């Protein structure tokens, strides 16, 4: 008896594996990106109420009506684009399910999907599980820009969709309006889809701004937006996200979602509405908080003499470890956890190219946690080969 072949070509998630390595060595976990601080009190208070009042039974499979209406209102508020909560939205179990359901709903077995590299590791597994073939388009260090001709080449080879993570995990790039327009023009020329991952939409550093792909001319009908509430409201464990897209494709996403999960947790859907009703000042403070964390962590890296790409958005930093002389970035991360006491993710789990000189830290942690990690990182030179 053997497991099915479709799982043979990818490993478990290295990001989540590094969390287990951190636990084993009591290392400060700057690998898997999740906060060690609480969600807004409005959300936790509402959750406590909902525990007593319900709902405790299934919500409508594609998301409770009042939650979809609140999501549509938030999308319109921030992007200026009206979305029909009854036909253009599906509530999912996090953006992980949103992405998988979107690829399953748009890409046939044997078809191709373009993915920028470096990429969030789920996308590779998503395409493989859909029996599709990824075509990787490099984002070129140090600026992580792309060659439009290389992107076009992916579509000329038949890519049916592009997965676009913006702001980008792991490199922190925010695609400019001009870059987004270049992508849109190519996608329209080849009559393809864009499947976006916009979970860091509200975690941006000035002067960078989030451009919503679905709002560019002619893109709403060919864009599936995958998003989640995990990062915006610090509720990664609630596993709540959504797909927004044109009604004919959302109809297919609903079917996939229905049979994959039936639905996201009903009490959490109800409690989440309190988050969606938070005023604009919440999002402004979120940006200020993360800007402060970025400055704290990056200036710590500067004092340690480490070079890195300063993120424009999201809460990750790719640090260059070339000077330490390791052949394996995975081994470097294992040593960093066991000997220095800080967890990071090996960069090779994000790059298609043969790259071994990056590690990824995240800084979605309390100030004290970040200071403690920087203190430990003073010993990073122990790893010099
Ligand atoms: N998005 C986070 C990261 O990249 C968490 C990933 C996960 O484990 N779901 O670290």
């Amino acid at each position: 008896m053997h497991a099915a072949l479709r799982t043979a070509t990818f490993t478990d998630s290295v990001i989540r594996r590094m969390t287990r390595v951190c636990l084993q060595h009591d290392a400060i976990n700057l690998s898997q990106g999740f906060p060690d601080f609480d969600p807004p009190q409005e959300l936790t208070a509402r959750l406590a109420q909902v525990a007593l009042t319900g709902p405790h039974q299934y919500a409508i499979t594609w998301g409770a009506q009042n939650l979809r209406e609140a999501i549509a209102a938030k999308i319109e508020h921030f992007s200026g684009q009206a979305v029909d909560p009854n036909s253009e939205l599906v509530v999912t179990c996090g953006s992980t399910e949103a992405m998988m359901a979107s690829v399953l709903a748009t890409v046939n077995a044997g078809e191709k999907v373009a993915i920028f590299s470096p990429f969030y590791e789920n996308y590779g597994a998503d395409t493989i599980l859909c029996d599709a073939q990824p075509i990787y388009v490099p984002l070129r260090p140090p600026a992580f820009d792309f060659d439009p001709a290389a992107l076009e080449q992916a579509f000329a080879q038949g890519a049916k969709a592009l997965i676009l993570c913006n702001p980008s995990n792991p490199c922190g790039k925010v695609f400019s309006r001009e870059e987004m327009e270049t992508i849109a023009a190519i996608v329209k020329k080849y009559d393809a889809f864009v499947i976006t991952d916009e979970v860091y939409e509200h975690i941006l550093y000035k002067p960078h701004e989030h451009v919503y792909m679905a709002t560019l001319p002619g893109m709403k009908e060919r864009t599936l937006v995958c998003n989640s509430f995990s990062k915006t409201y610090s509720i990664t464990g609630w596993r709540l996200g959504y797909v927004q897209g044109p009604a004919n494709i959302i109809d297919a996403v609903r079917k996939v979602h229905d049979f994959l999960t039936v639905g996201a947790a009903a009490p959490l859907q109800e409690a989440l509405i309190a988050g969606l009703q938070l005023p604009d000042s919440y999002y402004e403070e979120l940006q200020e908080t993360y800007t402060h964390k970025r400055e704290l962590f990056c200036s710590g890296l500067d004092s340690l003499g480490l070079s890195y790409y300063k993120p424009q958005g999201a809460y990750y930093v790719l640090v260059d470890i070339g000077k330490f002389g390791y052949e394996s970035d995975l081994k470097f991360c294992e040593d960093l956890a066991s000997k220095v006491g800080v967890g990071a993710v090996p960069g090779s789990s994000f790059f298609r190219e043969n790259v071994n000189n990056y590690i990824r830290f995240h800084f979605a942690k309390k100030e004290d946690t970040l200071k403690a990690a920087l203190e430990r990182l003073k010993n990073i030179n122990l790893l010099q080969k």
Side-chain angles (χ1 to χ4, degrees):
M1 298 282 277
H2 298 287
L5 291 176
R6 71 168 60 86
T7 65
T9 51
F10 58 93
T11 67
D12 60 325
S13 153
V14 181
I15 297 176
R16 296 182 275 280
R17 196 192 310 164
M18 288 315 298
T19 285
R20 298 192 289 274
V21 171
C22 287
L23 287 171
Q24 198 184 334
H25 298 290
D26 206 16
I28 298 174
N29 188 354
L30 303 188
S31 50
Q32 188 181 13
F34 62 90
D36 64 349
F37 43 87
D38 289 331
Q41 179 270 333
E42 289 85 345
L43 272 175
T44 47
R46 181 70 188 124
L47 181 61
Q49 277 176 346
V50 171
L52 299 175
T53 61
H56 293 294
Q57 311 309 325
Y58 304 122
I60 296 171
T61 177
W62 48 84
Q65 183 73 27
N66 53 353
L67 176 59
R68 274 181 288 113
E69 285 170 6
I71 295 172
K74 176 176 176 289
I75 294 171
E76 184 163 0
H77 179 68
F78 284 102
S79 75
Q81 186 163 61
V83 170
D84 179 1
N86 296 316
S87 63
E88 297 180 332
L89 277 178
V90 186
V91 175
T92 56
C93 302
S95 57
T96 298
E97 189 217 338
M99 181 60 67
M100 179 66 86
S102 297
V103 180
L104 280 166
T106 50
V107 180
N108 293 307
E111 288 182 330
K112 293 169 184 153
V113 177
I115 303 175
F116 282 118
S117 167
F119 59 99
Y120 176 50
E121 58 177 6
N122 280 39
Y123 310 151
D126 289 342
T127 46
I128 293 166
L129 285 172
C130 294
D131 288 325
Q133 259 179 282
I135 302 179
Y136 293 95
V137 178
L139 289 175
R140 303 167 299 190
F144 293 105
D145 59 353
F146 64 94
D147 174 4
L151 181 62
E152 174 144 11
Q153 187 55 31
F155 287 99
Q157 286 173 49
K160 186 160 184 199
L162 166 72
I163 298 180
L164 176 67
C165 184
N166 182 38
S168 160
N169 177 6
C171 66
K173 174 190 176 66
V174 172
F175 288 75
S176 67
R177 181 168 292 276
E178 197 188 344
E179 288 176 315
M180 296 291 272
E181 284 168 354
T182 301
I183 294 169
I186 295 171
V187 168
K188 281 189 282 188
K189 177 173 170 189
Y190 288 88
D191 194 22
F193 291 103
V194 180
I195 305 175
T196 65
D197 177 343
E198 300 184 48
V199 309
Y200 304 99
E201 159 197 5
H202 294 292
I203 303 178
L204 283 176
Y205 308 107
K206 287 181 180 137
H208 300 283
E209 283 184 3
H210 187 68
V211 177
Y212 295 87
M213 181 56 90
T215 65
L216 298 185
M219 290 307 292
K220 189 179 178 198
E221 56 266 40
R222 56 180 71 253
T223 302
L224 286 175
V225 179
C226 299
N227 213 329
S228 113
F229 305 100
S230 293
K231 319 291 179 179
T232 303
Y233 304 116
S234 306
I235 49 170
T236 61
W238 289 28
R239 313 304 309 125
L240 288 176
Y242 65 87
V243 185
Q244 174 219 319
N248 60 328
I249 309 294
I250 285 297
D251 194 49
V253 176
R254 277 182 178 180
K255 286 196 274 185
V256 174
H257 162 76
D258 192 3
F259 287 103
L260 271 181
T261 66
V262 178
L268 298 176
Q269 292 192 44
E270 178 65 33
L272 173 63
I273 294 169
L276 293 164
Q277 289 167 343
L278 287 168
D280 283 354
S281 57
Y282 172 76
Y283 302 92
E284 287 152 18
E285 279 161 28
L286 186 77
Q287 284 208 15
E288 280 164 26
T289 303
Y290 273 110
T291 301
H292 179 69
K293 291 181 191 305
R294 181 185 72 151
E295 294 316 309
L296 174 73
F297 194 65
C298 289
S299 59
L301 295 176
D302 289 335
S303 332
L304 295 166
L306 294 169
S307 55
Y308 57 88
Y309 175 82
K310 192 163 187 180
Q312 303 171 335
Y315 50 50
Y316 304 100
V317 198
L318 281 182
V319 174
D320 193 331
I321 53 154
K323 67 175 185 180
F324 293 94
Y326 272 65
E327 266 170 37
S328 157
D329 55 355
L330 177 60
K331 178 80 173 90
F332 183 92
C333 287
E334 284 167 355
D335 286 355
L336 190 69
S338 65
K339 297 182 182 155
V340 179
V342 180
V345 182
S348 56
S349 54
F350 304 107
F351 282 85
R352 175 61 178 175
E353 302 77 20
N354 195 9
V355 166
N356 70 348
N357 65 311
Y358 292 108
I359 59 171
R360 191 200 73 173
F361 287 118
H362 85 92
F363 51 85
K365 290 285 182 258
K366 292 176 192 154
E367 195 169 320
D368 284 352
T369 312
L370 293 175
K371 284 182 178 159
L374 288 167
E375 194 54 39
R376 290 186 183 190
L377 284 172
K378 286 183 180 160
N379 290 326
I380 197 168
N381 288 330
L382 290 174
L383 304 187
Q384 192 65 52
K385 289 270 179 199

